[in-house]
Amino acid sequence: MKVIYPGKVIGIIGGGQLGRMMGVAAKEAGFKIAVLDPTEDSPCGQIADIRIVAPYNDEAALKELAEVSDVITYEFENIDYEGLKTLCETAYVPQGSELVRITQNRMNEKAEITASGAPVADYITAETFEELKSKIDNVGFPCIVKTAFGGYDGKGQVKLDSLEDLDEAEALFKNSPCIAEAFVPFEKEISVIIQRNAAGESYCLPISENIHKNHILHESIVPARVEENVLVKAEEAATKIANHLELVGTLAVEMFVLNDGDIVINELAPRPHNSGHYSIEACNISQFHQHIRAICGWPLRKPKLWAPCIMVNVLGEHVEALNEAFQKYPDWSIHLYGKAEAKLQRKMGHITIMTESIESTLNEIDSTGIWSD
Ligand code: AMP
């Protein structure tokens, strides 16, 4: 396993908040950071030693990143796959490009999760709307039709309750082939963040329970309020997937928990994940520090939760009220990502609160009114 030592340069493709938090973790150990992002003042660019301002698929910019970096990682999966593949030939990219190819396309992703032996909802694939119509009986109703490429935060998907709704899915095919999957009547959504180095050593972070509002993560509660046997099953499934994919780096595995305690894998993200931000304060190793360890060929640390905690996302519409409120709450750890414009529903930051009582802290968060719609 190649070891990258402090003082060397870590190149990051993507300059958002995930890159910023990765970069901060890397800089603590004395690494330098180079970032490729199309914007001048990106969250990661603000803390980087070297900024390359260009589109993610700009060949000359990728070449420049390769020249200045000793190791390259990425902070989001919708980067240009072909560009990444070419980069892997000339630069040290321990995560490779395969994981990005797989997770960019829900069809590949479902097939690989199934091949790993982890459970997914029944699904069909369709290149065209006609194919969807002819196969829909194999999955039945209710179901969710999702574009294979480019969907996120609930975009690019429609729920169909019956055959009469079918036409609502037609527009999705303008952008991409689709999958249709059985609607899962889940009780909870949880995520397992698994991190693995090239020697095959892996650890899962404590499992988070995720509450969404308008398809965007609102709160993560850790540990997830599910039975111990669900936690065990969830870790086993994430480990199977990570081993099957020969993961290096970080994989977030989002899952549904049914009322009988069964789990169904929803989707994968090959990078640190919003539901793991809590680990910065609440664990002995954050997802960002562990990611840096994994890609630099360092031994991994066994994660340990110091205290139960809640992470709450701060969107554009919450910033003003938060600025007034946090003076009252010294126990809230405030993270803002340095984004200039507080647009509606834009992720601007998050707070983490460690607590001995999840229920009373949830009530306290509600009582501030900051997050009420
Ligand atoms: P996704 O973009 O696949 O993460 O889906 C966004 C959200 O839609 C999920 O967090 C779920 O709340 C919901 N969802 C997605 N797929 C299903 C499903 N098969 N059954 C029920 N709810 C789903």
Side-chain angles (χ1 to χ4, degrees):
M1 185 166 57
K2 182 167 170 180
V3 178
I4 308 292
Y5 289 91
K8 299 289 184 189
V9 178
I10 300 179
I12 305 177
I13 306 174
Q17 62 265 23
L18 300 175
R20 177 184 175 106
M21 289 183 272
M22 255 184 217
V24 167
K27 291 190 83 155
E28 279 176 14
F31 289 102
K32 291 194 172 68
I33 294 300
V35 64
L36 167 64
D37 191 88
T39 58
E40 277 290 342
D41 186 40
S42 66
C44 184
Q46 291 168 14
I47 61 111
D49 301 279
I50 302 167
R51 275 173 293 277
I52 302 170
V53 180
Y56 305 119
N57 60 354
D58 183 311
E59 266 176 49
L62 283 166
K63 197 156 168 268
E64 189 184 344
L65 186 70
E67 274 160 17
V68 299
S69 305
D70 297 285
V71 57
I72 294 180
T73 185
Y74 50 84
E75 60 122 38
F76 76 133
E77 60 274 38
N78 289 324
I79 52 179
D80 181 60
Y81 164 66
E82 292 299 333
L84 181 65
K85 204 167 130 204
T86 309
L87 190 67
C88 289
E89 289 159 15
T90 53
Y92 181 52
V93 188
Q95 292 159 278
S97 57
E98 236 345 66
L99 194 58
V100 164
R101 186 187 68 78
I102 292 165
T103 53
Q104 274 183 353
N105 179 336
R106 285 188 196 269
M107 292 182 179
N108 296 338
E109 187 174 286
K110 288 268 194 232
E112 294 296 335
I113 299 169
T114 307
S116 78
V120 295
D122 286 343
Y123 73 100
I124 53 157
T125 62
E127 294 289 332
T128 60
F129 182 54
E130 277 59 46
E131 191 180 353
L132 179 78
K133 282 199 269 193
S134 71
K135 286 181 164 174
I136 197 77
D137 282 347
N138 298 343
V139 65
F141 297 96
C143 67
I144 302 198
V145 184
K146 301 179 179 180
T147 54
F149 294 99
Y152 67 96
D153 288 345
K155 296 185 179 74
Q157 51 182 273
V158 290
K159 181 173 176 226
L160 305 180
D161 286 310
S162 69
L163 203 53
E164 278 92 78
D165 295 344
L166 199 59
D167 286 347
E168 289 173 28
E170 188 168 7
L172 294 177
F173 286 87
K174 276 196 199 116
N175 303 321
S176 154
C178 291
I179 63 162
E181 64 182 45
F183 182 82
V184 180
F186 61 84
E187 199 149 78
K188 284 202 154 76
E189 294 187 79
I190 61 171
S191 53
V192 183
I193 293 169
I194 183 161
Q195 301 185 292
R196 189 171 179 276
N197 64 17
E201 185 186 21
S202 74
Y203 287 112
C204 297
L205 280 179
I207 296 176
S208 153
E209 171 184 338
N210 302 321
I211 295 167
H212 295 88
K213 274 190 186 174
N214 305 318
H215 290 286
I216 300 174
L217 182 65
H218 166 52
E219 275 168 339
S220 286
I221 298 168
V222 189
R225 295 168 299 176
V226 295
E227 299 285 336
E228 180 61 29
N229 71 327
V230 176
L231 299 177
V232 172
K233 264 191 270 187
E235 267 208 36
E236 278 172 4
T239 307
K240 272 188 198 165
I241 298 169
N243 289 339
H244 172 73
L245 297 174
E246 297 177 13
L247 172 73
V248 175
T250 303
L251 186 72
V253 185
E254 294 184 39
M255 308 181 184
F256 300 128
V257 183
L258 306 180
N259 62 5
D260 61 2
D262 271 355
I263 54 161
V264 171
I265 313 301
N266 176 28
E267 64 174 0
L268 308 177
R271 50 165 171 79
H273 194 254
N274 196 166
S275 66
H277 292 356
Y278 77 87
S279 58
I280 296 174
E281 284 85 14
C283 290
N284 62 341
I285 179 104
S286 78
Q287 62 168 345
F288 301 103
H289 285 97
Q290 193 86 297
H291 181 79
I292 297 299
R293 285 182 161 265
I295 60 160
C296 289
W298 291 21
L300 303 187
R301 183 177 307 158
K302 188 174 184 340
K304 180 174 160 32
L305 188 69
W306 295 132
C309 67
I310 302 172
M311 188 266 346
V312 194
N313 264 340
V314 175
L315 305 182
E317 58 270 37
H318 306 135
V319 172
E320 221 177 282
L322 178 74
N323 279 339
E324 282 165 31
F326 77 76
Q327 306 285 346
K328 280 193 245 159
Y329 300 102
D331 292 339
W332 291 12
S333 295
I334 309 286
H335 296 255
L336 287 162
Y337 308 140
K339 296 182 188 177
E341 252 189 289
K343 289 191 207 145
L344 192 71
Q345 305 223 318
R346 185 181 198 196
K347 287 181 185 170
M348 300 296 290
H350 70 270
I351 62 168
T352 301
I353 312 169
M354 290 203 265
T355 172
E356 288 312 318
S357 169
I358 291 287
E359 295 310 318
S360 64
T361 304
L362 283 172
N363 289 336
E364 179 185 271
I365 292 166
D366 277 350
S367 73
T368 64
I370 300 174
W371 289 272
S372 54
D373 296 319

